[in-house]
């Protein structure tokens, strides 16, 4: 009896938690989701979303630069993504004279669209399950190394034989922690030009204060255009390239939506960890998130103090600042959410049910009987090392001269080994970018503060002896670092570029005598010896355990549908437009309007100021066809399960028309990467009508709206 009740409970637990939860594979929608999607209100078929026989919605979705999503919205290759996704490009095109961050940018004709080196857009042509071929010859008794080399061999063979066009690529990715493998045929366009962006006062309205928060009033969008060769195929940048003619572009609905309406989001979510054990969740919550939050707090206060004083530094460091701040705030939300939703306890409860089921079956017991204990031990063994890794990863890359040293070091290492790699062009390009966002004073302050913190907080064996020695020779860390910056040659871009014209051996000899280069290599080597090398080994053990635990969950709870954790591959998530109740006596509505934007408006404030023209349009109620009943909708929320990387993803209605642009999640629900809770997890989208209002009415770029297909 007890068993029946407990298995009913599991069934119920999964049934409820699975409504809205999930980042599903587009090629499996028909089998796993179509029925439910239709029940929830979808009017199109799974085949309309993903098909390899005819054009489908997936043909309008691209991975934008590998870190965000964008969608095609005209038959001339116009794509829409977030302002914060296009921000690095917008920043790179900006200067004090042409400050597109502050003033926005609009190409009034195609000739004015701005190329962006390094930016690309990748389409998914088809997806295949290749698990059987990839795992051929793999068995449980293999070591992880043997297993991996077998898998690598199988993948290489598959890649060689799989049919594709010459200008397409093949990508094979592991899913369900290595229990399954899928192959993707992709097509990447590398001439992606900036078409338009609103001023940051619209595109990033509310900045850090409003980030990860609802209610929201941000016009977080920017527009680009994909260019192709004359034959419409991928081509490197050339002024002769032409606008790409897509297989599919999204139609846009101005109808808006009501509470409860079906929505879905398609895009490239980056990373989630929904199937961890309680031990792992506890570690994130109590050790790793708090350490990373503490370090970033320090970094941000230093960067912020310089950026507030100096407009040039503000432009230079804007993108870096925003991305450091973004995860900093998210981790805080995650800690709060995991705590409040009792995530560890919830996992423990699930584990209890899991173990009961495992014990009830001899085969399961022999395969999975000790898996949770083993995970527990592995996590506690790796804990101090992961903490050291957080410190290393959160401090070293914040110091630009260390990044420069690191870039140089990997260049000389590979060039000395293999003379064919001794061409400095790529490394110079990379350094060019690093130097353009480098300011000596800022960097020196960061190095001082971060080295101090590093030495204080982590165990002795991670600290190079020479650093201790040097510190003794100087009065303070501040003096030592000032001394190093006075003596280093890494400070001077020109002399480094001149040096790179010489042979790798000579470059290496000179660099080895540079004090900051030395310090960088010392710290990196010490870290590798005391931590990095061990982590790699222990992590591979954990991966194996996690793969087994994943397999076990799918076996033991075999009447549930499972979706794989996000891994930057194309996914579909669906839900309903819906408000939520963050805490006792508080209820959030699902829509915001420009009235709320005006309520937040603070003239002169760096986060909440607004352009005069926008205010004038609001006061005149001049919303064009984009307003409803004298009000202009701005943002809305729904229960779609999204994560970082889903930024810029289209929000689609029941018919597959574009109604909004995903850009964030709500504060109470940022823990959805680890523990999705349908009660409070919501994604935030900007209403397409606000986007078009800004393009047309505010920016006067109606010609772009004219390119689109609007459905009334
Ligand atoms: N939180 C959103 C995301 O994860 C938006 C970030 C951009 N905005 C900002 N203020 N940094 O990417
Ligand atoms: N802003 C996030 C991004 O850049 C999306 C929000 C989220 O993490 O869900 O992808």
């Amino acid at each position: 009896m007890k068993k029946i009740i407990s298995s009913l409970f599991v069934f119920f637990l999964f049934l409820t938690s699975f409504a809205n939860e999930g980042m599903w594979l587009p090629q499996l929608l028909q089998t796993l989701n179509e029925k439910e999607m239709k029940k929830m209100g979808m009017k199109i078929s799974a085949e309309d979303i993903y098909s390899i026989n005819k054009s489908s919605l997936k043909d309008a979705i691209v991975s934008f630069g590998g870190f965000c999503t964008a969608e095609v919205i005209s038959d001339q290759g116009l794509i829409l993504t977030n302002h914060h996704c296009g921000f690095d490009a917008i920043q790179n095109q900006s200067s004090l004279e042409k400050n597109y961050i502050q003033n926005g940018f609009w190409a009034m004709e195609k000739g004015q669209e701005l190329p962006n080196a390094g930016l690309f857009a990748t389409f998914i042509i088809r997806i295949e399950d290749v698990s059987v071929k990839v795992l051929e010859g793999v068995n449980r008794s293999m070591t992880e190394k043997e297993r991996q080399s077998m898998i690598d061999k199988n993948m290489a063979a598959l890649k060689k034989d799989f049919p594709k066009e010459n200008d397409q690529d093949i990508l094979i990715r592991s899913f369900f922690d290595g229990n399954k493998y899928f192959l993707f045929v992709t097509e990447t366009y590398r001439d992606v030009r900036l078409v338009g962006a609103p001023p940051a006062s619209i595109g990033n309205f509310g900045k850090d204060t409003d980030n990860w928060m609802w209610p929201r009033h941000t016009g977080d969008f920017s527009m680009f255009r994909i260019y192709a060769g004359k034959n419409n195929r991928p081509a490197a940048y050339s002024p002769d390239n032409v606008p790409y003619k897509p297989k599919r572009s999204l139609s846009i609905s101005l109808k808006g939506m009501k509470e409860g309406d079906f929505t879905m989001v398609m895009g490239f979510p980056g990373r989630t960890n929904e199937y961890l054990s309680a031990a792992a969740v506890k570690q994130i919550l109590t050790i790793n998130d708090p350490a990373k939050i503490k370090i970033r707090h320090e970094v941000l206060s230093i960067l912020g103090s310089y950026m507030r004083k100096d407009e040039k530094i503000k432009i230079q460091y804007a993108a870096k600042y925003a991305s450091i701040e973004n995860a900093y705030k998210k981790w805080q939300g995650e800690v709060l959410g995991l705590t409040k939703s009792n995530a560890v306890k919830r996992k423990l409860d699930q584990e209890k049910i899991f173990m009961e089921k495992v014990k009830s079956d001899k085969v399961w017991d022999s395969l999975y009987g000790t898996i949770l204990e083993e995970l527990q031990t592995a996590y506690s063994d790796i804990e101090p090392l992961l903490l050291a890794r957080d410190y290393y990863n959160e401090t070293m890359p914040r110091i630009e001269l260390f990044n420069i040293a690191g870039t140089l070091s990997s260049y000389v290492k590979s060039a000395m080994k293999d003379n064919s790699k001794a061409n400095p062009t790529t490394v110079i390009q990379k350094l060019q970018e690093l130097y353009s966002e480098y300011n000596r004073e800022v960097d020196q302050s960061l190095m001082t503060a971060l080295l101090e913190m590093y030495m204080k907080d982590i165990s002795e064996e991670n600290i190079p002896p020479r650093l201790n020695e040097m510190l003794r020779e100087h009065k303070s860390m501040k003096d030592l670092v000032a001394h190093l910056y006075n003596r280093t040659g890494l400070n001077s871009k020109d002399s480094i570029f001149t040096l790179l014209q010489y042979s790798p051996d000579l470059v290496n000899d000179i660099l080895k005598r540079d004090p900051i280069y030395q310090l960088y290599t010392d710290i990196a080597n010490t870290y590798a010896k005391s931590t990095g090398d061990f982590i790699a080994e222990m992590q591979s053990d954990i991966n194996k355990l996690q793969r087994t635990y994943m397999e076990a969950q799918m076996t033991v709870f075999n009447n549930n549908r499972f979706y794989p954790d996000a891994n930057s591959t194309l996914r579909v998530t669906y839900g309903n437009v819906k408000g939520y109740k963050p805490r006792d006596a508080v209820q959030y509505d699902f829509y915001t309007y420009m009235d709320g934007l005006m309520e937040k408006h603070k003239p002169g404030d760096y986060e909440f100021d607004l352009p005069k023209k926008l205010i004038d349009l609001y006061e005149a109620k001049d919303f064009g066809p984009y307003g409803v009943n004298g009000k202009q909708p701005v943002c809305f929320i729904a229960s779609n399960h999204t994560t970082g990387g889903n930024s810029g993803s289209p929000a689609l209605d029941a018919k597959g028309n574009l109604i909004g642009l995903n850009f964030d999640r709500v504060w109470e629900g940022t823990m959805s990467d680890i523990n999705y809770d349908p009660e409070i997890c919501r994604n935030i989208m900007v209403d397409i009508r606000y986007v078009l209002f800004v393009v047309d009415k505010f920016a006067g770029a109606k010609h772009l709206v004219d390119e689109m297909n609007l459905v009334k």
Side-chain angles (χ1 to χ4, degrees):
M1 185 62 195
K2 211 173 128 209
K3 208 157 148 197
I4 296 177
I5 293 179
S6 83
S7 58
L8 270 177
F9 174 67
V10 178
F11 187 67
F12 183 69
L13 190 90
F14 278 85
L15 208 71
T16 46
S17 68
F18 267 43
N20 302 315
E21 174 170 357
M23 301 168 171
W24 302 94
L25 291 159
Q27 78 279 20
L28 297 181
L29 289 176
Q30 197 157 29
T31 327
L32 293 179
N33 312 89
E34 190 177 40
K35 224 166 113 195
E36 181 185 70
M37 293 170 91
K38 287 192 165 157
K39 216 164 91 198
M40 287 168 70
M42 185 174 76
K43 297 278 185 297
I44 56 176
S45 68
E47 176 87 356
D48 295 325
I49 300 172
Y50 175 89
S51 169
I52 47 171
N53 304 312
K54 57 168 197 174
S55 99
S56 55
L57 290 174
K58 73 124 171 68
D59 297 319
I61 319 293
V62 290
S63 161
F64 183 80
F67 52 86
C68 275
T69 305
E71 51 279 355
V72 184
I73 53 168
S74 91
D75 54 11
Q76 302 171 51
L78 187 65
I79 57 174
L80 176 67
T81 188
N82 289 144
H83 185 268
H84 77 264
C85 296
F87 191 58
D88 199 44
I90 300 166
Q91 174 190 309
N92 291 340
Q93 303 282 1
S94 293
S95 59
L96 283 173
E97 301 73 46
K98 292 183 294 181
N99 192 338
Y100 301 144
I101 300 179
Q102 197 177 325
N103 306 320
F105 167 80
W106 296 95
M108 286 304 163
E109 52 184 79
K110 296 208 178 67
Q112 294 171 357
E113 297 176 356
L114 302 170
N116 303 286
L119 190 58
F120 59 84
T122 300
F123 289 93
I124 304 301
I125 307 302
R126 66 187 294 155
I127 310 173
E128 292 290 328
D129 185 345
V130 290
S131 311
V132 174
K133 286 210 166 121
V134 171
L135 294 172
E136 205 172 279
V138 167
N139 61 50
R140 282 184 205 272
S141 59
M142 283 176 156
T143 65
E144 282 299 278
K145 259 218 181 98
E146 289 164 349
R147 183 180 196 271
Q148 196 53 50
S149 81
M150 180 68 90
I151 287 177
D152 290 343
K153 209 180 83 206
N154 291 343
M155 293 208 295
L158 250 169
K159 277 190 184 170
K160 215 175 89 227
D161 298 339
F162 203 87
K164 67 165 186 81
E165 307 287 324
N166 276 337
D167 50 10
Q168 295 178 332
D169 298 299
I170 287 192
L171 199 93
I172 301 174
R173 298 299 275 275
S174 124
F175 289 74
F176 294 113
D177 297 315
N179 285 290
K180 283 217 167 283
Y181 285 82
F182 292 101
L183 175 150
F184 298 78
V185 179
T186 64
E187 213 164 275
T188 296
Y189 289 79
R190 295 181 188 279
D191 184 353
V192 177
R193 304 188 195 168
L194 177 62
V195 173
S201 54
I202 293 176
N204 192 10
F205 177 79
K207 303 239 167 33
D208 303 333
T209 301
D210 268 14
N211 192 17
W212 299 111
M213 296 287 198
W214 181 255
R216 194 63 157 277
H217 300 84
T218 310
D220 195 346
F221 78 94
S222 61
M223 288 179 181
F224 290 77
R225 192 185 303 281
I226 300 176
Y227 280 76
K230 293 246 158 58
N231 55 0
N232 206 35
R233 300 299 302 170
Y237 167 77
S238 153
D240 301 331
N241 284 349
V242 294
Y244 167 68
K245 279 196 216 58
K247 283 191 226 146
R248 179 67 175 255
S249 84
L250 298 178
S251 298
I252 295 173
S253 164
L254 297 186
K255 272 202 229 120
M257 54 243 79
K258 315 179 293 308
E259 180 140 38
D261 279 358
F262 175 86
T263 64
M264 63 182 171
V265 170
M266 277 179 94
F268 294 84
R271 204 178 144 73
T272 56
N273 288 296
E274 312 285 354
Y275 303 99
L276 293 178
S277 62
V281 174
K282 187 162 167 228
Q283 198 164 91
I284 295 173
L285 174 64
T286 57
I287 308 286
N288 308 101
D289 276 358
K292 294 189 290 189
I293 292 166
K294 174 181 165 185
I295 302 168
R296 286 199 177 198
H297 182 84
E298 182 75 20
V299 171
L300 289 166
S301 70
I302 294 172
L303 287 179
S305 70
Y306 286 100
M307 288 167 73
R308 275 191 295 277
K309 278 194 312 235
D310 185 323
E311 196 60 32
K312 183 162 173 254
I313 296 180
K314 192 169 151 192
I315 296 178
Q316 252 187 328
Y317 279 78
K320 258 188 276 194
Y321 185 92
S323 103
I324 297 167
E325 197 280 340
N326 191 42
Y328 165 69
K329 192 165 177 187
K330 192 207 117 169
W331 291 323
Q332 295 177 56
E334 188 167 274
V335 167
L336 282 175
L338 290 174
T339 309
K340 205 174 148 221
S341 67
N342 262 323
V344 176
K345 163 121 190 338
R346 192 164 144 179
K347 287 276 179 189
L348 285 171
D349 290 347
Q350 282 175 12
E351 286 174 7
K352 215 168 129 210
I353 299 164
F354 167 81
M355 278 316 290
E356 273 168 26
K357 295 200 104 196
V358 166
K359 292 285 168 210
S360 73
D361 181 298
K362 269 213 187 90
V363 180
W364 290 351
D365 194 20
S366 71
L367 289 171
Y368 314 129
T370 56
I371 185 72
L372 286 168
E373 279 157 49
E374 289 177 68
L375 275 165
Q376 166 100 38
T377 313
Y379 274 102
S380 81
D381 289 349
I382 204 175
E383 186 174 296
L385 299 178
L386 287 185
L387 183 66
R389 181 174 73 181
D390 285 341
Y391 265 85
Y392 185 79
N393 288 345
E394 285 295 324
T395 52
M396 298 307 140
R398 300 286 105 80
I399 299 162
E400 250 11 281
L401 285 195
F402 281 171
N403 288 330
I404 288 165
T407 308
L408 287 165
S409 152
S410 37
Y411 165 71
V412 287
K413 264 193 211 140
S414 77
M416 284 190 326
K417 231 199 268 159
D418 174 359
N419 206 47
S420 72
K421 301 229 168 79
N423 177 355
T425 326
T426 346
V427 72
I428 286 185
Q429 201 183 341
K430 172 103 200 283
L431 290 171
Q432 197 72 272
E433 275 166 41
L434 291 174
Y435 278 114
S436 74
E437 294 178 3
Y438 166 75
N439 170 287
R440 172 175 164 168
E441 227 188 310
V442 177
D443 208 48
Q444 200 172 318
S445 298
L446 281 172
M447 187 189 285
T448 310
L450 294 179
L451 282 184
E452 227 154 42
M453 193 187 250
Y454 195 72
M455 293 184 69
K456 195 162 134 260
D457 288 1
I458 64 167
S459 54
E460 191 62 29
E461 71 267 17
N462 282 292
I463 296 159
R466 227 208 345 228
L467 183 55
N468 278 319
E469 259 163 55
M470 286 196 299
L471 199 51
R472 260 175 255 128
E473 289 159 22
H474 292 265
K475 276 208 307 281
S476 61
M477 184 64 86
K478 191 161 176 236
D479 278 5
L480 167 63
V481 171
H483 171 79
L484 296 174
Y485 275 73
N486 283 333
R487 290 192 45 225
T488 182
L490 299 184
N491 248 330
S492 157
K493 176 170 95 175
D494 294 339
S495 45
I496 292 295
F497 286 3
T498 313
L499 176 66
L500 282 169
Q501 303 311 319
Y502 293 90
S503 78
D505 293 282
L506 186 71
V507 178
N508 187 44
D509 279 348
I510 307 265
L511 285 176
K512 266 176 22 198
R513 274 176 265 153
D514 185 278
I516 287 194
Y517 190 83
Q518 277 173 4
L519 179 58
Y520 165 78
T521 22
D522 272 1
I523 295 179
N525 292 340
T526 314
Y527 168 80
K529 262 196 239 112
S530 62
T531 302
D533 296 347
F534 297 106
I535 285 192
E537 232 170 85
M538 292 165 93
Q539 191 66 54
S540 133
D541 292 342
I542 289 188
N543 291 350
K544 181 176 179 178
L545 293 173
Q546 186 62 35
R547 187 172 68 237
T548 309
Y549 184 41
M550 186 75 239
E551 175 194 283
Q553 294 179 70
M554 292 198 287
T555 311
V556 167
F557 299 125
N558 65 354
N559 49 357
N560 298 316
R561 288 178 306 171
F562 282 85
Y563 62 93
D565 269 320
N567 60 356
S568 296
T569 57
L570 185 62
R571 303 296 177 88
V572 176
T573 156
Y574 49 93
N576 300 95
V577 175
K578 215 170 176 177
Y580 70 109
K581 198 168 163 15
R583 54 188 178 277
D584 190 29
V586 178
Q587 176 69 40
Y588 280 134
D589 225 338
F590 58 96
Y591 242 108
T592 61
Y593 293 91
M594 265 184 93
D595 310 73
L597 180 70
M598 300 311 298
E599 283 167 11
K600 284 182 180 171
H601 176 216
K602 271 193 223 148
D605 186 72
Y606 83 104
E607 296 187 299
F608 292 99
D609 203 0
L610 283 168
K612 178 166 182 311
K613 181 153 183 212
L614 197 79
I615 301 170
D616 292 345
L617 286 166
Y618 171 78
E619 278 169 358
K621 302 227 175 301
D622 187 1
F623 305 134
Y626 315 109
V628 267
N629 305 328
K631 280 159 85 82
Q632 176 60 53
V634 178
C635 291
F636 65 104
I637 50 175
S639 56
N640 300 298
H641 187 182
T642 53
T643 189
N646 268 127
S647 274
S649 297
L652 305 166
D653 68 8
K655 293 186 178 148
N657 294 323
L658 184 68
I659 50 173
L661 185 60
N662 183 72
F663 71 98
D664 212 358
R665 272 174 290 165
V666 303
W667 184 240
E668 295 80 6
T670 50
M671 44 97 176
S672 63
D673 293 347
I674 295 170
N675 183 37
Y676 183 91
D677 181 342
E679 292 303 314
I680 50 173
C681 291
R682 298 288 178 272
N683 68 314
I684 307 181
M685 295 151 282
V686 51
D687 192 302
I688 198 67
R689 293 170 296 181
Y690 186 59
V691 171
L692 298 187
F693 161 75
V694 171
V695 173
D696 179 351
K697 290 290 179 174
F698 173 81
K702 172 98 185 343
H703 61 285
L704 294 174
V705 180
D706 293 339
E707 272 186 44
M708 304 170 196
N709 179 29
L710 306 188
V711 294
K712 283 275 160 63

